[in-house]
Amino acid sequence: MEKIIEESKQGESLVLENKPENTKKLFIESYGCAMNFSDSEIVASILSSNGYNTTQILEEADLVLVNTCSIRDKAEQTIRKRLEKYNAVKRVNTKMKVGVLGCMAERLKSQFLEEEKIVDLVVGPDAYKDLPNLLAEVEEGRDAINVILSKEETYGDISPVRLNSNGVSAFVSITRGCDNMCTFCVVPFTRGRERSREPQSIMKEIQDLWDNGFKEITLLGQNVDSYLWYGGGLKKDFTNASEMQKATAVDFDQLLEMAAVGFPKMRIRFSTSNPQDMHESVLHVIAKHSNICKHIHLPVQSGSDRILKEMNRLHTREEYMTLIDKINSIIPDCSITQDLIAGFPTETEEDHQDTLSLMEYVKYSFGYMYAYSERPGTLAERKMEDDVPEPTKLRRLQEIVDLQREHSAMRTQEFVGKTVEVLVEKASKRSEKDWSGRNSQSIVVVFPKEGYKIGEFVNVKITSCTSGTLIGEAVGLSEMN
């Protein structure tokens, strides 16, 4: 639940420019968080160099891959239904091979391959470079599996193919894995321990994106604030690093500064932050550079100290509120967004009220809110009883959603009458006559197209709003162009 899951993107089949020399066809679908979509771009890049062009027609594919998520039960059920569909097509197209990538692959490897026999290969998040070898195994008629979690793999040397891109914004992965053992989360078990990517490879990827016309990047990781490069290896082993490694180490505020200074006309976002790892130095870097977006996604999960302890969140309610105060003081125009879980095991009505009162204190711009669902393999599943009745969970979730809707409406209203800078991303869903983009605070802004183009930074005066969208009129190009 630490990661943003955009419902509108779930199940997207990805397509890239064909190479005439490639003879095989790849159909690849992604579910889950931004990290999974980013990983699919890495996979497509590897397979593009090994004879595969992408297709969006499932029935003609030689290879079908689904990049999976283990965060929520809903995602797993969806993926199982997709696997049923793939296998129905496979009965007609007998040369088709089906594979599962990502977090669910690591967790359900033997079930998929041996018990249910619904896939030909299973590839964990750190084994994508092994795909050509695994496919050779499959071609020989053998099942193939590699779910070994790596201490080193960051895919820093792979230049991701940008799939289904708007050509304007892109993800740049900076860390893999996670060391925070939150009891509700399966990520440390499916993606391994935390390691950071070499900063120069990150800067090179941003340069490539800039050279190809991209205007915005999101630095991506399970927990970007704990980024630490000291020459390679796991974050937890930094204590054993040499004095020279420690002296020349790069942490997140330094990386953010490097990107902001190196690409002053590139808009920079990052996700996801963890309250216990966000240092004040990062806030000063954000405040200092106008091209770093004034938006922090800061999952809290609960407003109750007792529940935070049960979740193994290494921050208290008071520490979180102190961090919120610092953000508001150092970056007064910053939007703050949340992840919240309703109905975690043992949650009482008093705990739930603590969450609502924390929301009242922060007044988040928007958020990602879920009813707790027990995830196999997590510490909570092994050690806690899922004892909050489903109707109670859903009622509490609805109260959280309703309060968030109030706060979102209040936060968007604050922009009415102001002029904001918007990066034009696409045509508005509601009208082809309007452009849609986001402001620095990551709020969607819609305005008449006039003569403006996708990829331009436009100053827009906000005239009205809904609870989630700002509506306005362009007043000219911004200095970021």
Side-chain angles (χ1 to χ4, degrees):
M1 306 240 182
E2 277 293 75
K3 305 182 299 303
I4 300 171
I5 295 177
E6 292 187 49
E7 298 298 346
S8 62
K9 292 188 110 181
Q10 299 306 297
E12 275 190 359
S13 61
L14 306 176
V15 67
L16 62 142
E17 198 172 325
N18 284 351
K19 289 183 177 177
E21 67 272 23
N22 286 354
T23 57
K24 295 177 182 175
K25 293 188 176 176
L26 164 69
F27 179 93
I28 181 167
E29 246 177 22
S30 302
Y31 292 85
C33 65
M35 187 66 81
N36 274 16
F37 285 83
S38 177
D39 278 2
S40 289
E41 294 178 343
I42 290 168
V43 169
S45 183
I46 292 166
L47 290 176
S48 176
S49 301
N50 284 271
Y52 285 86
N53 285 328
T54 51
T55 178
Q56 288 189 298
I57 302 168
L58 174 63
E59 288 75 12
E60 70 178 23
D62 298 285
L63 175 62
V64 176
L65 297 175
V66 58
N67 201 338
T68 62
C69 173
S70 273
I71 290 292
R72 289 186 287 167
D73 183 59
K74 179 184 173 187
E76 287 203 6
Q77 297 311 316
T78 302
I79 288 159
R80 284 196 169 278
K81 284 178 185 167
R82 293 303 289 156
L83 288 170
E84 288 172 16
K85 166 74 173 171
Y86 303 156
N87 277 277
V89 174
K90 192 179 175 185
R91 286 193 282 273
V92 178
N93 178 5
T94 53
K95 68 178 173 39
M96 178 192 284
K97 304 299 179 190
V98 175
V100 171
L101 312 175
C103 298
M104 205 170 157
E106 200 286 330
R107 200 171 65 73
L108 296 175
K109 47 192 178 284
S110 57
Q111 205 168 320
F112 282 161
L113 264 179
E114 293 152 24
E115 295 168 30
E116 300 178 31
K117 300 187 187 305
I118 53 175
V119 297
D120 302 291
L121 72 160
V122 173
V123 189
D126 291 345
Y128 298 142
K129 284 182 187 171
D130 199 29
L131 264 166
N133 299 327
L134 297 171
L135 288 168
E137 288 284 309
V138 170
E139 292 298 328
E140 295 292 323
R142 294 184 289 273
D143 290 337
I145 182 169
N146 185 342
V147 291
I148 296 166
L149 293 174
S150 167
K151 293 182 179 180
E152 288 85 29
E153 185 60 80
T154 63
Y155 299 108
D157 58 333
I158 301 285
S159 180
V161 173
R162 301 296 163 181
L163 297 154
N164 271 12
S165 169
N166 58 10
V168 174
S169 53
F171 294 120
V172 175
S173 179
I174 66 168
T175 69
R176 295 185 76 81
C178 187
D179 286 348
N180 296 320
M181 303 297 284
C182 300
T183 56
F184 55 78
C185 186
V186 78
V187 165
F189 307 108
T190 59
R191 286 188 173 268
R193 299 304 295 263
E194 188 175 313
R195 62 270 186 208
S196 296
R197 183 177 161 193
E198 198 269 321
Q200 289 310 317
S201 78
I202 295 169
M203 296 298 282
K204 181 181 181 300
E205 186 174 334
I206 299 171
Q207 182 69 59
D208 289 344
L209 289 165
W210 177 254
D211 292 344
N212 282 288
F214 284 80
K215 300 296 178 65
E216 179 182 271
I217 55 156
T218 301
L219 301 176
L220 196 64
Q222 247 73 45
N223 180 10
V224 290
D225 295 277
S226 66
Y227 174 89
L228 181 65
W229 171 262
Y230 62 96
L234 298 178
K235 168 84 181 282
K236 72 180 182 66
D237 294 334
F238 179 64
T239 50
N240 302 324
S242 68
E243 290 307 312
M244 177 60 79
Q245 284 177 315
K246 287 179 180 176
T248 57
V250 176
D251 59 14
F252 184 57
D253 64 325
Q254 291 168 303
L255 180 71
L256 200 53
E257 179 104 33
M258 283 168 64
V261 171
F263 302 93
K265 298 292 186 181
M266 178 79 90
R267 196 189 249 188
I268 298 164
R269 300 186 185 276
F270 57 88
S271 186
T272 292
S273 294
N274 194 300
Q276 76 215 35
D277 295 304
M278 175 161 263
H279 303 297
E280 189 174 322
S281 56
V282 171
L283 304 181
H284 288 292
V285 173
I286 298 168
K288 180 179 169 185
H289 297 283
S290 60
N291 60 326
I292 302 177
C293 289
K294 307 302 184 273
H295 167 226
I296 297 173
H297 185 64
L298 199 64
V300 65
Q301 311 301 359
S302 173
S304 158
D305 274 335
R306 192 183 69 79
I307 293 297
L308 289 171
K309 194 170 183 181
E310 292 290 330
M311 291 175 165
N312 197 34
R313 300 289 286 176
L314 302 179
H315 63 86
T316 63
R317 173 191 174 94
E318 186 176 349
E319 286 166 344
Y320 185 89
M321 291 163 78
T322 300
L323 178 55
I324 295 294
D325 293 342
K326 277 186 184 174
I327 294 169
N328 289 332
S329 169
I330 296 166
I331 321 166
D333 56 346
C334 190
S335 69
I336 302 167
T337 56
Q338 48 85 346
D339 287 357
L340 281 167
I341 301 170
F344 190 78
T346 77
E347 184 186 74
T348 64
E349 203 56 40
E350 185 181 355
D351 296 323
H352 172 58
Q353 291 302 320
D354 283 347
T355 294
L356 296 177
S357 70
L358 180 72
M359 291 177 71
E360 287 286 11
Y361 185 84
V362 181
K363 294 183 171 61
Y364 296 100
S365 294
F366 53 92
Y368 300 89
M369 300 149 281
Y370 310 99
Y372 174 74
S373 70
E374 193 172 73
R375 308 311 302 124
T378 60
L379 293 168
E381 185 257 345
R382 294 205 295 271
K383 297 183 176 179
M384 299 177 189
E385 183 188 347
D386 185 3
D387 59 353
V388 179
E390 197 64 22
T392 305
K393 283 184 193 174
L394 295 176
R395 189 256 305 162
R396 290 176 185 169
L397 175 62
Q398 192 58 53
E399 288 176 11
I400 289 169
V401 169
D402 290 344
L403 185 57
Q404 182 57 60
R405 196 171 283 127
E406 277 180 40
H407 292 159
S408 294
M410 185 199 84
R411 290 300 188 191
T412 54
Q413 186 65 42
E414 289 173 347
F415 285 95
V416 174
K418 294 180 180 176
T419 297
V420 300
E421 182 185 77
V422 179
L423 174 58
V424 181
E425 296 177 24
K426 58 188 177 183
S428 167
K429 286 180 184 174
R430 295 199 175 176
S431 170
E432 275 296 318
K433 295 178 181 176
D434 293 338
W435 285 129
S436 172
R438 287 176 298 161
N439 67 355
S440 178
Q441 289 76 13
S442 203
I443 298 170
V444 172
V445 182
V446 173
F447 64 96
K449 284 183 175 178
E450 297 176 347
Y452 298 102
K453 301 181 185 71
I454 288 176
E456 287 184 331
F457 290 95
V458 181
N459 289 325
V460 178
K461 182 165 186 181
I462 304 305
T463 54
S464 63
C465 66
T466 67
S467 63
T469 304
L470 301 173
I471 300 157
E473 296 170 357
V475 294
L477 292 171
S478 87
E479 293 177 358
M480 275 286 282
N481 291 287

